[in-house]
Amino acid sequence: MPFSNLIPWSKRQLPMRREEQHPIYSLQNELNRAFDEFFGRWEEPFGLLTPSLTKSFGGALEFPRIDVSETDKELRISAEIPGLTEKDIQLHLAKDALTITGEKKEEKREDEKGWYRMERQYGSFTRSIPLPYEVDTEKAEATFKNGVLVVTLPKTVAHQRAAKSIEVKKG
Amino acid sequence: MTSSTLERPKSKTKEPGRQEVWCSPPVDVYEDSREFVVFVELAGVDESGVSLQLDGERLTIEARRDIHAGSEYRQLYSEMPYTNFRRVLAIPEWIDRDQVSASIKNGVLLVRLPKAAKAEPKKLVIKTN
């Protein structure tokens, strides 16, 4: 005899109401719908594709988002930091990591009557990016343009020399 | 998820041979006594890369950026692969369409939608007899 048959209050016997069907939730849903009528109606036709992309990135990853690429001679790290200026960003380069620190401030609005959407995130941030190999810290360069930071880190001469292709032989 | 949701939206500006990854950028929208203000985060986009269209009660924001390392670079890791942004917002009908303005600075687009004059609240005076 399955254990659940022995408990009189098991879900099988008690007609459970799904949360959304509860009056208070349906009221909430009504309110959300009314809210979406304004600035929210007609979400993009490709809504399922694009928001899920941002959501999976925004939810799982640290701020700022980064790209890392390399050539034989240098390592390139870029980061998305919209809304800041070069003065708001501090960079610290150690032997094995690059650290980006800053604060994204919300502008003060004197006369605001209400907010319809607040999807942007504010506050201080710090992110350390481990470097895959040693770089020449003296020759590091950084630029900031249109909310994108690009840091160029030349590889050390020793590292460039050490790089080598390995032939794959038939086993 | 059905297979149709996996299809990439078609773009009029698509260049052959270039992979396009789309992003729905985060927005802030607030209202004050004179206007509605929309902020859109578009990192890497300048004024030449953004297009705005006001169509009925719909504001369509589309943007492109070219920030990625050249072909001489090998990609090691990527969290920001998208090249295109698109967002459609429903806007109230009582705005002054001719006065809508937009500017972009440090990768943040700012759109101002001034309220039409007739939308100004009027104070009603209640007279007593």
Side-chain angles (χ1 to χ4, degrees):
Chain A
M1 189 184 209
F3 179 66
S4 56
N5 289 2
L6 297 171
I7 14 177
W9 60 87
S10 87
K11 281 181 184 173
R12 256 157 39 87
Q13 292 170 33
L14 200 70
M16 291 286 280
R17 194 145 44 171
R18 288 178 65 220
E19 273 197 345
E20 306 89 89
Q21 287 168 347
H22 190 276
I24 197 78
Y25 288 101
S26 62
L27 174 68
Q28 182 68 60
N29 287 341
E30 279 302 311
L31 284 172
N32 288 350
R33 249 202 301 281
F35 230 77
D36 283 352
E37 285 288 294
F38 211 48
F39 282 112
R41 203 167 18 165
W42 304 303
E43 267 296 340
E44 7 187 331
F46 306 101
L48 274 176
L49 179 74
T50 47
S52 65
L53 179 74
T54 16
K55 214 177 271 170
S56 61
F57 277 152
L61 298 168
E62 290 179 72
F63 184 90
R65 291 179 205 169
I66 58 161
D67 266 9
V68 184
S69 55
E70 64 165 6
T71 62
D72 293 341
K73 292 192 173 135
E74 64 182 37
L75 184 69
R76 182 188 192 267
I77 298 172
S78 48
E80 279 187 341
I81 321 177
L84 271 74
T85 66
E86 57 275 16
K87 289 175 198 149
D88 305 321
I89 300 163
Q90 287 87 49
L91 289 175
H92 183 258
L93 182 59
K95 206 176 168 187
D96 56 355
L98 171 73
T99 305
I100 308 170
T101 316
E103 189 179 356
K104 201 168 152 191
K105 286 178 193 145
E106 207 173 345
E107 286 163 52
K108 218 178 168 189
R109 309 186 204 296
E110 304 278 322
D111 182 31
E112 78 178 46
K113 278 191 163 179
W115 287 80
Y116 294 94
R117 287 192 173 255
M118 288 179 95
E119 298 170 356
R120 300 174 65 202
Q121 291 176 1
Y122 300 94
S124 9
F125 61 87
T126 181
R127 181 164 185 185
S128 278
I129 301 136
L131 303 179
Y133 36 72
E134 209 175 300
V135 295
D136 189 345
T137 49
E138 296 298 313
K139 289 184 185 152
E141 277 178 22
T143 57
F144 187 75
K145 194 182 163 193
N146 299 327
V148 176
L149 173 78
V150 177
V151 185
T152 316
L153 306 162
K155 293 181 187 179
T156 56
V157 180
H159 179 81
Q160 286 182 47
R161 267 196 216 121
K164 111 179 230 215
S165 310
I166 300 162
E167 190 195 345
V168 181
K169 290 176 185 163
K170 198 177 169 188
Chain B
M1 197 189 276
T2 59
S3 63
S4 64
T5 60
L6 293 169
E7 280 168 20
R8 184 169 288 149
K10 286 186 178 66
S11 157
K12 284 173 204 158
T13 55
K14 180 164 178 163
E15 295 164 25
R18 182 176 213 155
Q19 197 199 355
E20 301 207 331
V21 183
W22 287 76
C23 170
S24 177
V27 302
D28 278 358
V29 182
Y30 83 95
E31 174 190 2
D32 66 21
S33 53
R34 288 164 293 123
E35 59 190 0
F36 294 93
V37 182
V38 179
F39 294 91
V40 191
E41 284 194 351
L42 303 169
V45 176
D46 62 15
E47 59 279 6
S48 67
V50 63
S51 83
L52 285 169
Q53 204 184 329
L54 199 57
D55 174 19
E57 288 171 41
R58 230 189 251 227
L59 175 69
T60 304
I61 300 148
E62 284 186 313
R64 283 182 68 79
R65 68 177 184 184
D66 188 12
I67 57 157
H68 297 99
S71 56
E72 69 272 26
Y73 285 86
R74 296 179 292 272
Q75 185 103 42
L76 300 179
Y77 178 67
S78 179
E79 295 170 359
M80 38 188 269
Y82 32 88
T83 50
N84 293 45
F85 298 89
R86 184 180 150 88
R87 193 77 199 244
V88 183
L89 296 171
I91 54 161
E93 58 188 31
W94 62 89
I95 58 155
D96 188 346
R97 273 147 206 282
D98 300 328
Q99 296 298 316
V100 172
S101 65
S103 60
I104 189 162
K105 196 180 158 192
N106 295 322
V108 178
L109 175 75
L110 188 157
V111 188
R112 295 181 179 279
L113 306 148
K115 295 178 187 178
K118 63 178 180 185
E120 292 294 324
K122 286 191 185 104
K123 204 168 186 177
L124 293 178
V125 183
I126 301 167
K127 289 176 190 164
T128 49
N129 288 323

